[in-house]
Amino acid sequence: MPAPIAVPTLGAFGVTIAGTLDPGTGVVGRSTNLPWLDGTAPAETLSRALGIPGVAVQDGEAAALAEARVGAGRGAGDVFVIALGTGIAGAHVVNGAVHRGAHGAAGEIGHLRATDADHACSCGGRGCLETVIGGSQLGVRWRERGGEGGTARDVVAAAGAGDAAAIATLDAAARGFGRALLALSALVDPALVVVGGGVARSPEWTVEPALRHARAESTFHTLPPVLPAALGVWAGAHGAALAAAA
């Protein structure tokens, strides 16, 4: 084990983890995109190396904590934050604290069944929201419809140029996201939803049509206001710092 690194101006640290995390032990349960983290305790390892206390926070929770407390959801009290990125993360923040659930996995909206299609998901399930609107999957879905494939940005650019396959791909993604928002309203009923992440940077193809689909399919649901995230790529870092300072 290396000797502790002297960091005199740092009293504590926070680190974000892409995966499920036991909030009591700090042990990673499962990281579908970084499987080598499974069963490890990153904060404990870093704490020994740095010689200062630290805390590990699930990445979606960290971003949600920051957006709810100092970002777009500031003052709302009851906020669900969704990150539409390579994968889909989410977390529910009530009165400034993340609601983690009994097993630390609450808020995993990316793994709700959101499509009738049988797309395989990295979590082992099928038809998850992440398979239709996750940034790593949009290009795959476009290629399946006869498009060129590529990144989420490529799909959006092609749709803007009138590519029918890209437009259909994004419409299916928005429909799936709309269904997830309806499920969120039924189960959680948050006062506010904040949406960020790279895929959400094209709201005219993602968030806005998702809300139209959700309203069209809504029955008893009360859809909350949906705002764009305010902290950008730094949301997770802000959230980790807030958790470390708690």
Side-chain angles (χ1 to χ4, degrees):
M1 178 63 63
I5 302 169
V7 188
T9 59
L10 189 64
F13 70 87
V15 58
T16 63
I17 302 298
T20 60
L21 190 70
D22 185 318
T25 65
V27 173
V28 179
R30 185 178 182 192
S31 176
T32 56
N33 295 315
L34 300 171
W36 51 270
L37 285 174
D38 293 359
T40 66
E44 180 181 327
T45 301
L46 286 170
S47 183
R48 287 198 299 266
L50 295 172
I52 56 175
V55 61
V57 190
Q58 194 265 352
D59 58 352
E61 288 186 5
L65 184 65
E67 287 290 352
R69 290 178 59 179
V70 299
R74 186 172 186 172
D78 184 343
V79 186
F80 198 97
V81 181
I82 302 169
L84 300 179
T86 302
I88 310 299
H92 189 201
V93 183
V94 181
N95 297 326
V98 176
H99 174 68
R100 296 185 175 91
H103 306 97
E108 289 287 350
I109 192 171
H111 299 289
L112 288 179
R113 179 95 190 195
T115 175
D116 295 331
D118 199 35
H119 307 309
C121 183
S122 60
C123 74
R126 307 192 76 84
C128 297
L129 177 62
E130 193 166 296
T131 68
V132 292
I133 201 169
S136 64
Q137 295 298 302
L138 280 170
V140 176
R141 304 285 85 86
W142 182 31
R143 189 181 304 113
E144 290 172 348
R145 294 176 183 272
E148 297 176 8
T151 66
R153 185 178 297 177
D154 294 331
V155 181
V156 169
D163 184 287
I167 292 171
T169 298
L170 290 170
D171 182 67
R175 185 180 298 276
F177 189 30
R179 288 179 177 177
L181 290 173
L182 286 178
L184 179 65
S185 297
L187 292 172
V188 178
D189 192 25
L192 176 69
V193 171
V194 173
V195 182
V199 174
R201 291 175 191 156
S202 301
E204 71 278 15
W205 291 107
T206 54
V207 179
E208 292 169 11
L211 287 170
R212 289 195 294 271
H213 282 302
R215 293 185 187 109
E217 296 183 20
S218 176
T219 54
F220 66 89
H221 313 79
T222 300
L223 288 168
V226 177
L227 296 179
L231 300 176
V233 297
W234 293 105
H238 282 292
L242 287 168

